[in-house]
Amino acid sequence: MSRDSVLVSADWAEKNLGAAGVVFVEVDEDTSAYDTGHIPGAVKLDWRLDLQDPVRRDFVNREQFQTLLSSRGIGNDDIVVLYGGNNNWFAAYAYWYFKLYGHGDVRLLDGGRKKWELDNRTLTKEPASRPATNYTAQEQDLSLRAFRDDVVAAIGAQNLVDVRSPDEFAGRLLAPAHLPQEQAQRAGHVPTAINVPWSKAANEDGTFKSDDELREIYGAAGLDDSKDTIAYCRIGERSSHTWFVLRELLGHSNVKNYDGSWTEYGSLVGVPVALGDEPGQG
Amino acid sequence: MTDISGCGAPEQSAPLPASVNVEKETVISGVVRAGDQPVSGAYVRLLDASGEFTAEVVTSAAGQFRFFAAPGSWTLRALSRAGNGDATVDAGRGITEVALSVAA
């Protein structure tokens, strides 16, 4: 896996605006950012409304995904370039999702919306619309997705990477600090998980660090690349960012994202939970 | 919309939701300014005492930002088209206001 096939620079993106066969997609949890200005030609995906099932806790199924992409004018052969706010968290989540449903060529815009804005590149309020397509999705590739039982089985046996902030890992906070903290679930982390906050992998402007820097960070944190890995966070989007780094940039072979993440695990009855800054015992 | 089910940063100018108990929460809020002008669209991140990233928000039209932290020592770091800047704060429970200046 090479960086060039999964990540595009802002310069590349600017040169390819409007190019045939390239679709820019802004992905956010709150799409009001798109409405106040987006990359020219980009269509929008709303993480909650478009990508999550409206009733039960799961994401849209294969048929819903096909319908969604068809309506947005995305074809199976298109190069899909995803970007968004929150340091590309939701764009990385959507990237994982496109892979899960077997899209051929999907890439992230390095630095996402933040770098684009800080660089003073063009944004438009003009909504983009593309002619509808007839998109065909594959069955979910479950080698990319971890469920709660996989996580419990991985305690003490596989790499568990908790990508939340140190305070969330230790149990001092229950959510990222831009959100209120009172929640139903217990605080802490999955025993034996190492804590490598997603932000270690990114520069201040939201771009990814170099492959050498990334290898150094996960190596020093004790990630054993001979073992399978499960990444998790609170709701699965920050861990998509780390999943992207480990599998797509560094080429680790068996890396799964646990999209249930702490909001599921921290509410389970009877599972082990570790508190404090250390991984803890399995 | 203030959103506690997701992870995205909520609208920064919204009033504190009624469900937020400021007796229990440690709220760090303020305005980013360049000179005496508020800076909208600045990226403000909250770093913990070890310098590790904890959260990031984008300032409102009036330059406002807000975090829900825990009592302790924090650093705020702003990036914007008008320049960058830092501030440190010792926050306890309740609302702590911080002035954050940026300059090119």
Side-chain angles (χ1 to χ4, degrees):
Chain A
M1 188 65 65
S2 90
R3 178 171 278 243
D4 292 345
S5 63
V6 295
L7 197 60
V8 307
S9 68
D11 285 339
W12 184 97
E14 214 160 42
K15 290 192 189 92
N16 284 277
L17 293 180
V22 180
V23 185
F24 290 86
V25 183
E26 177 159 335
V27 190
D28 272 309
E29 187 181 43
D30 171 2
T31 52
S32 62
Y34 177 92
D35 302 330
T36 59
H38 52 268
I39 293 181
V43 295
K44 74 171 166 182
L45 285 180
D46 184 312
W47 179 79
R48 182 186 318 283
L49 297 178
D50 295 326
L51 298 180
Q52 305 297 317
D53 187 284
V55 178
R56 62 200 188 98
R57 184 170 177 203
D58 202 347
F59 40 69
V60 293
N61 65 28
R62 181 183 170 187
E63 289 70 31
Q64 292 167 310
F65 189 68
Q66 291 182 159
T67 305
L68 173 69
L69 265 57
S70 299
S71 74
R72 292 296 196 280
I74 298 170
N76 284 83
D77 295 330
D78 285 331
I79 297 173
V80 173
V81 179
L82 302 167
Y83 75 97
N86 286 89
N87 291 280
N88 268 342
W89 290 351
F90 295 94
Y93 185 98
Y95 179 101
W96 172 69
Y97 211 101
F98 273 73
K99 284 288 183 189
L100 208 66
Y101 281 122
H103 190 81
D105 193 337
V106 54
R107 309 179 191 187
L108 276 185
L109 170 60
D110 203 13
R113 197 182 161 91
K114 175 160 65 172
K115 179 166 173 54
W116 192 272
E117 285 182 11
L118 292 173
D119 286 353
N120 252 324
R121 296 176 196 260
T122 307
L123 294 167
T124 178
K125 289 183 181 174
E126 191 75 27
S129 75
R130 304 174 55 84
T133 58
N134 193 9
Y135 191 90
T136 308
Q138 309 298 311
E139 290 297 337
Q140 274 189 36
D141 178 356
L142 293 179
S143 73
L144 307 182
R145 188 179 190 193
F147 294 93
R148 60 188 179 224
D149 292 345
D150 302 323
V151 175
V152 173
I155 294 172
Q158 295 182 15
N159 296 309
L160 283 162
V161 185
D162 185 318
V163 314
R164 296 173 300 160
S165 64
D167 282 337
E168 291 174 86
F169 179 83
R172 292 185 289 268
L173 291 181
L174 263 163
H178 56 260
L179 301 172
Q181 296 295 318
E182 286 188 64
Q183 315 276 338
Q185 74 271 15
R186 298 305 175 99
H189 59 268
V190 182
T192 75
I194 57 172
N195 181 213
V196 188
W198 71 274
S199 51
K200 296 263 192 216
N203 297 308
E204 196 171 63
D205 65 1
T207 56
F208 289 99
K209 290 184 178 163
S210 71
D211 290 353
D212 286 343
E213 288 171 309
L214 294 171
R215 267 189 287 274
E216 166 67 23
I217 287 162
Y218 293 98
L223 189 82
D224 177 352
D225 60 13
S226 70
K227 289 183 179 173
D228 297 348
T229 298
I230 296 173
Y232 73 92
C233 59
R234 193 175 79 101
I235 58 170
E237 86 304 25
R238 285 176 283 175
S239 50
S240 301
H241 187 276
T242 295
W243 173 89
F244 179 86
V245 169
L246 294 175
R247 185 174 185 274
E248 304 296 274
L249 294 181
L250 296 183
H252 290 206
S253 53
N254 191 352
V255 186
K256 294 181 177 180
N257 182 31
Y258 172 37
D259 56 293
S261 272
W262 194 256
T263 52
E264 176 176 75
Y265 191 95
S267 301
L268 292 175
V269 174
V271 296
V273 170
L275 287 171
D277 296 307
E278 297 304 318
Q281 300 297 311
Chain B
M1 180 184 74
T2 292
D3 175 6
I4 56 173
S5 60
C7 262
E11 166 58 49
Q12 293 297 296
S13 60
L16 272 173
S19 61
V20 172
N21 182 344
V22 293
E23 310 253 307
K24 290 187 182 169
E25 297 274 354
T26 302
V27 180
I28 299 171
S29 60
V31 175
V32 175
R33 288 192 174 85
D36 53 8
Q37 291 299 309
V39 179
S40 66
Y43 286 83
V44 182
R45 42 178 59 190
L46 182 71
L47 307 173
D48 71 16
S50 70
E52 189 56 62
F53 176 98
T54 304
E56 181 175 277
V57 297
V58 182
T59 55
S60 70
Q64 298 150 295
F65 61 87
R66 180 192 294 148
F67 296 102
F68 299 87
S73 178
W74 302 90
T75 297
L76 295 149
R77 166 88 177 144
L79 300 187
S80 79
R81 292 181 203 169
N84 304 334
D86 303 286
T88 56
V89 58
D90 284 310
R93 295 201 191 280
I95 299 174
T96 303
E97 286 286 335
V98 187
L100 184 49
S101 299
V102 294

